Amino acid sequence: MDLETLLSFNWGVMMPEFIILGVATLLSLIDIFMPKQSSRRPLAWIALVGILVALISLIGLFDTKVTSILHDTYRLDSFSKAFKLLFLVGAALVILLAESFKPAEGMKENRGEFYYLFLAALLGAMMMASSGDLITLFVGLELLSISSYILAGIRKNHLPSNEAAMKYVINGGISTAITLFGMSYLYGLTGSTNLREMGGVMSQTIDGQFLYLYGLAFFMIVVGLSFKLATVPFHMWAPDVYQGAPTPVTAFLSVVSKTAGFVILLRILLSLFLVTPGDEIGALNFLEKNKIFISCLAAITIIVGNVIALRQKNVKRLLAYSSIAHAGYLLVPIATLGYFTFDAIWFYLVAYLFMNLGAFAVVQYVSDKTGSEEISDFAGLYQRSPVLAVAMGIFILSLAGIPGTAGFIGKLNIFMGTFAVDPGHYVLAAIMIAGTVISYFYYFGIMTQMFFRPSYYLAMTEKIKVPVTLMIVLIVCVVGTISFGVAPGAALDFLHQYFGNFEDFMQ
């Protein structure tokens, strides 16, 4: 590629990625040359400013029409803009969590590394959202994954953190291999790695043997990405990693990384398999013909995630199984595949971002104070700090799907979507209701501890003073959880005004 061709590209559409890359590079250089005894906390503010500047540059691109550069390997469309917005908002809140994180051991000497590795993972997620090619999609996935492996084990002298990193690397490596094997089938059958070109070839396929091989590729890609999403039965790494990783990393994995997993799943399934015939007759497309597999995956994930959460005593393990169940809810609109699939998934991820990050903010503060992460640590929290207890109560009500919260509207959108297609997915709707009812038992168990149990910890009997950065996270998350629950139309109107109905996704 000559210089003239390079200069002809509209590089401005990649400005958010360039900003994150530049700030990550700057932080790594500052960390190297700073004296070892100097505090690395100021780096958090540099990282936060970088994320906010990237967010502003992304907002400036909202009115930009669909743009494709680098031979269609990078696409700026409504899909990428909508999900990058989630990534950047979630990342800004996680950075604020990390700034106030004070573990008993193992983070002081690695705190500088944390920030630029975190930005590298964010960059990988953003690249995935804009990828128009399997190669850039995979590079973004690996940038996110490898950074996440290191972040999970960044407390080098903390045994649970070591165990979390080891299990995450092994399971992540297996999932990557399976996903890549499925992608290699698609490349071999279509002769291209570009998603649009591949979709064009696959849409013309009528040979039964080719369709069978597409089925194998579909199976391997869904299985490989199911590890990333922590759906049952590929969820075994999630509870241990969530428990062992530093709390800000756990929050990042549960929100930003999970959102990135759904981004790559949607990009591949809707760009390729939605246009592929389901059989030689071609009466149904491939996804309609095989949606029973996604439906079964969603159903078993909702059931197992909620049932096993009932037995958890560690609050981070409980939230891990809760996160598994929520991945099941998010698979439902992909299985039903109606007109409102994009809207339902995007809104649910917005609601999940606020309620889950807010819950982890409270968990981080309580665990820092008590030195433990047991659910019993929340006993008497209302007497010690009504602000923390009420905020946590709001997040739990939203996670449980109680009316008046964003979580309720998110689940309602998905639930109504099961009836908006013909034939309706009544079994999935029933399983969603059953899973939600089961979740009340373990969510309200935390509420019982906070409001109706006396405190057992001396550290929690003193007056609690919440750090400023943590308070900012709580305020943003509470406002988001309540406002989108009371006025959900604001989020959906914003989505349709700036991103349309994702009609440019297939262009």
Side-chain angles (χ1 to χ4, degrees), residues 87 136 243 258 278 283 303 331 360 431 458 466 505:
F87 291 148
T136 50
Q243 181 181 354
K258 187 177 289 288
I303 293 168
L331 282 175
F360 274 112
I431 289 172
L458 292 175
V466 181
F505 182 78

Side-chain angles (χ1 to χ4, degrees), residues 185-186 189 208-218 220:
Y185 266 66
L186 294 179
L189 293 167
Q209 293 180 335
F210 273 54
L211 293 175
Y212 173 75
L213 292 173
Y214 287 151
L216 285 179
F218 170 80
M220 285 186 283

